[in-house]
Amino acid sequence: MLTPKKNDNIVSQKNGIMNNLKRFYLTFFVLISLNALQIKAQEKSDTEFKPYGNFNGTVFSNFHVQVNSPVYESAFEVQRAYFGYNYYMSENFTALLKLDIGSPNQTSQYDLLKRYAYFRNAGLIYKRNKLSLSFGLIDMFQFKIQENMWDHRYIYQSIQDLHKFGSSADLGVSASYKFNDFISTDFCVANGEGYNQLQTDNSYKSALGVSINPLKYIIIRLYADYTEKDEIQTTYSSFLGFDNNSNIKAGVEYSIKENYNFNKNQKLNGFSVYGLYRFNKLIEVFGRYDQLWSNTIDADPYQWNINKDGSAIIAGLQVSPIKNVRLALNYQDWVPYAKNIDNKYFMYLNLEYKF
């Protein structure tokens, strides 16, 4: 059997990179052209734009108790703190900087007690009419709509974020364009390593998403990405959401990641359904159900991710006494599919405040 030479692999990687860049430049050119056609002649304003900036911050904290533990386990935590500054350079250009202070999500309990500060965003954004362009360490579009629909990131991460279907931010360049009230699209080329990892190879992730609003309160989201290394890793996700801009939000999403972490034939599936009901500005109830499962490979009797596969339920009551402060009493559990791993049941009191 003939095996590919190392030079052939290098050429293949270079071709993949060039194809990714060609896709982006083509999309960029089309979006710029469409945007230019919609720009109308405007009279020059009597007053010039004055640059300005503002600081902002968000803090997640909680107190929790594990209710099924033989030893009474409880703790106060500050899970995460975001501190940022936005500088509005002109009517179209914005520079943003955000620090993320929190755990690096490592598995060791010792590491989970550590706190690291690293850049969450450091980018430049251009917006004009229906076009938006971003460059640098920027937010990704992969599950942003789903996360906004869930609306309780301070309590529990969205399923794609929690189980590493993708990163919420990355180094790269992106473009989004809203054609009309019915459809919009987004495209990006990024390192694919996430915002707390450095680029260590010549591989890039290309991603394309389409958002559709067939009715006023309905949104449909379709997404796919492609990354090529020794194996080709792809992610596909679909989402259906309802938001009446008043008291009800609900969403259901399903995602697949093939060749997970570039391991051949490893497939990870994620399903999540959630909703909330607001009685008024002060009180709301919310609930969510997740499932995570993987496939078996060859003659292995167990799924490759069996130690992490399982299901979760989150449900609770949220109170917002003043604007930018939210407090939630909620129940969280995790039921692993592996028979030799114990179920986990928790009661949480979560707090989020912004400034």
Side-chain angles (χ1 to χ4, degrees):
M1 179 182 295
L2 295 176
T3 58
K5 297 181 180 179
K6 184 176 181 181
N7 289 338
D8 294 337
N9 291 333
I10 295 174
V11 170
S12 177
Q13 286 188 354
K14 288 183 178 180
N15 288 338
I17 294 169
M18 292 303 298
N19 288 335
N20 288 340
L21 293 175
K22 287 178 182 178
R23 293 190 195 103
F24 175 78
Y25 291 136
L26 177 60
T27 306
F28 177 84
F29 176 77
V30 171
L31 292 176
I32 287 289
S33 301
L34 290 172
N35 188 60
L37 291 174
Q38 294 191 2
I39 297 176
K40 297 180 180 179
Q42 299 177 350
E43 295 182 359
K44 187 176 181 180
S45 175
D46 294 333
T47 60
E48 294 184 359
F49 180 88
K50 295 182 179 180
Y52 67 97
N54 57 52
F55 288 96
N56 56 81
T58 304
V59 179
F60 302 158
S61 62
N62 73 73
F63 173 75
H64 65 269
V65 178
Q66 187 172 355
V67 297
N68 70 322
S69 174
V71 180
Y72 183 77
E73 295 185 17
S74 62
F76 286 96
E77 288 184 327
V78 175
Q79 296 166 288
R80 222 149 200 97
Y82 299 103
F83 299 100
Y85 182 77
N86 297 340
Y87 185 67
Y88 300 91
M89 307 165 67
S90 72
E91 293 179 352
N92 305 115
F93 286 94
T94 303
L96 61 133
L97 183 70
K98 183 187 288 187
L99 289 178
D100 183 346
I101 302 173
S103 165
N105 292 324
Q106 296 180 8
T107 56
S108 165
Q109 283 300 116
Y110 177 71
D111 283 328
L112 290 173
L113 295 175
K114 296 179 181 179
R115 286 296 176 264
Y116 293 78
Y118 40 87
F119 287 116
R120 169 66 163 68
N121 291 124
L124 182 67
I125 298 175
Y126 171 82
K127 289 185 178 181
R128 184 160 188 174
N129 297 335
K130 299 178 180 181
L131 175 68
S132 178
L133 303 173
S134 301
F135 179 81
L137 184 50
I138 54 178
D139 287 333
M140 295 288 101
F141 298 109
Q142 181 168 344
F143 48 82
K144 197 172 187 65
I145 291 176
Q146 294 93 313
E147 194 169 65
N148 290 339
M149 192 69 72
W150 163 232
D151 195 34
H152 293 84
R153 169 64 180 82
Y154 76 105
I155 296 172
Y156 209 85
Q157 292 170 274
S158 66
I159 190 169
Q160 291 192 63
D161 193 13
L162 181 63
H163 298 293
K164 310 306 178 188
F165 283 84
S167 178
S168 56
D170 205 343
L171 281 159
V173 59
S174 68
S176 64
Y177 190 84
K178 184 176 181 180
F179 293 94
N180 47 49
D181 292 336
F182 176 74
I183 187 170
S184 61
T185 187
D186 49 82
F187 180 79
C188 78
V189 175
N191 280 349
E193 311 289 339
Y195 65 95
N196 58 356
Q197 299 288 335
L198 295 176
Q199 174 76 326
T200 57
D201 49 43
N202 291 321
S203 177
Y204 295 88
K205 179 170 79 172
S206 300
L208 176 66
V210 178
S211 301
I212 304 169
N213 293 91
L215 298 173
K216 184 177 181 181
Y217 301 135
I218 300 293
I219 183 167
I220 298 170
R221 170 79 174 167
L222 302 173
Y223 168 89
D225 63 41
Y226 174 97
T227 312
E228 183 176 357
K229 291 186 181 180
D230 294 334
E231 298 292 336
I232 296 174
Q233 179 178 266
T234 54
T235 310
Y236 305 98
S237 68
S238 56
F239 171 73
L240 173 64
F242 174 87
D243 182 2
N244 67 355
N245 295 317
S246 177
N247 60 338
I248 298 176
K249 274 188 177 184
V252 56
E253 59 179 293
Y254 174 60
S255 303
I256 302 173
K257 192 161 190 173
E258 297 182 340
N259 294 333
Y260 190 89
N261 284 342
F262 303 98
N263 294 310
K264 188 175 182 179
N265 297 328
Q266 288 189 355
K267 182 185 294 186
L268 191 65
N269 302 268
F271 171 81
S272 185
V273 57
Y274 38 86
L276 67 87
Y277 180 82
R278 294 191 181 99
F279 295 95
N280 48 50
K281 292 182 179 180
L282 179 65
I283 300 174
E284 74 172 42
V285 292
F286 59 88
R288 173 173 151 185
Y289 173 73
D290 287 359
Q291 275 190 320
L292 182 77
W293 71 98
S294 56
N295 63 314
T296 58
I297 301 175
D298 297 330
D300 196 331
Y302 301 106
Q303 295 90 338
W304 65 267
N305 197 47
I306 186 64
N307 290 332
K308 295 181 180 180
D309 290 348
S311 63
I313 291 177
I314 307 99
L317 174 72
Q318 176 180 281
V319 177
S320 180
I322 61 173
K323 185 179 179 181
N324 293 331
V325 174
R326 297 194 291 177
L327 189 70
L329 179 64
N330 62 97
Y331 165 85
Q332 301 180 19
D333 71 21
W334 176 254
V335 179
Y337 292 153
K339 302 298 183 182
N340 61 336
I341 301 178
D342 293 334
N343 300 343
K344 294 182 179 180
Y345 308 97
F346 294 91
M347 290 301 300
Y348 270 79
L349 182 63
N350 293 83
L351 173 66
E352 176 197 61
Y353 50 94
K354 300 179 180 179
F355 56 88

